[in-house]
């Protein structure tokens, strides 16, 4: 459940702040095995989303990040910092997506996971989404 909170909120860039609040409360109040959580996040490829969630919880709710995550956050500090910045813009900027915000969201998705295969799936997803909307006559 904890990883799902990190995944869901992080994937949507925490544009609804209560998702981040739920993650922060779980981090504080639940008895968690942080080594197992980090290991599982790496297995399923959402360690950057977990890192973003931790950084944003510290920023917005002043939550102390457990020691287990610190070496990981130090290793990935550059990319997690950039991803956190994207989320911060989305949190502060509101729900509406203009063209600039859509491009920023696309950049965010491209950086969520390393590897050309993942990035290819992101690009194909955007093109497919555009094609389906055009085909169905939507906006």
């Amino acid at each position: 459940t904890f990883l799902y909170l990190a995944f869901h909120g992080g994937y949507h860039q925490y544009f609804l702040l209560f998702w981040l609040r739920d993650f922060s409360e779980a981090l504080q109040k639940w008895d968690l095995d942080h080594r197992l959580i980090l290991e599982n996040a790496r297995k399923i490829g959402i360690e950057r989303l977990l890192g973003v969630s931790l950084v944003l919880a510290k920023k917005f709710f002043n939550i102390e990040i457990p020691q287990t995550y610190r070496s990981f956050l130090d290793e990935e500090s550059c990319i997690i910092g950039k991803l956190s910045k994207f989320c911060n813009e989305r949190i502060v900027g509101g729900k509406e997506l203009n063209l600039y915000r859509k491009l920023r969201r696309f950049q965010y998705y491209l950086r969520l996971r390393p590897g050309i295969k993942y990035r290819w799936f992101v690009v194909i997803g955007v093109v497919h989404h555009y094609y389906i909307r055009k085909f169905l006559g939507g906006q």
Side-chain angles (χ1 to χ4, degrees), residues 100-117:
Y100 173 75
R101 286 192 179 168
K102 287 180 182 180
L103 290 173
R104 295 290 283 174
R105 184 176 63 177
F106 179 67
Q107 290 176 329
Y108 175 80
Y109 289 143
L110 283 175
R111 292 182 172 144
L112 281 180
R113 293 181 71 180
I116 192 71
K117 185 176 179 181

Side-chain angles (χ1 to χ4, degrees), residues 90-133:
R90 187 82 192 272
I91 291 168
V92 174
K95 292 182 185 181
E96 291 183 28
L97 287 175
N98 56 23
L99 180 60
Y100 173 75
R101 286 192 179 168
K102 287 180 182 180
L103 290 173
R104 295 290 283 174
R105 184 176 63 177
F106 179 67
Q107 290 176 329
Y108 175 80
Y109 289 143
L110 283 175
R111 292 182 172 144
L112 281 180
R113 293 181 71 180
I116 192 71
K117 185 176 179 181
Y118 168 75
R119 288 185 175 103
W120 177 249
F121 282 124
V122 170
V123 171
I124 292 300
V126 169
V127 171
H128 185 260
H129 183 76
Y130 172 77
Y131 176 76
I132 293 295
R133 286 181 156 230

Side-chain angles (χ1 to χ4, degrees), residues 14 16-24 53 56-57 60-61:
Y14 287 107
L16 296 178
L17 194 57
F18 73 86
W19 291 334
L20 184 59
R21 184 209 57 207
D22 291 346
F23 176 83
S24 301
S53 300
L56 291 173
F60 283 95
F61 296 103

Side-chain angles (χ1 to χ4, degrees), residues 40-57:
N40 287 337
R42 284 185 170 141
K43 282 181 186 175
I44 60 177
I46 63 168
E47 66 271 14
R48 288 183 179 172
L49 287 172
L50 177 61
V52 166
S53 300
L54 292 166
V55 168
L56 291 173

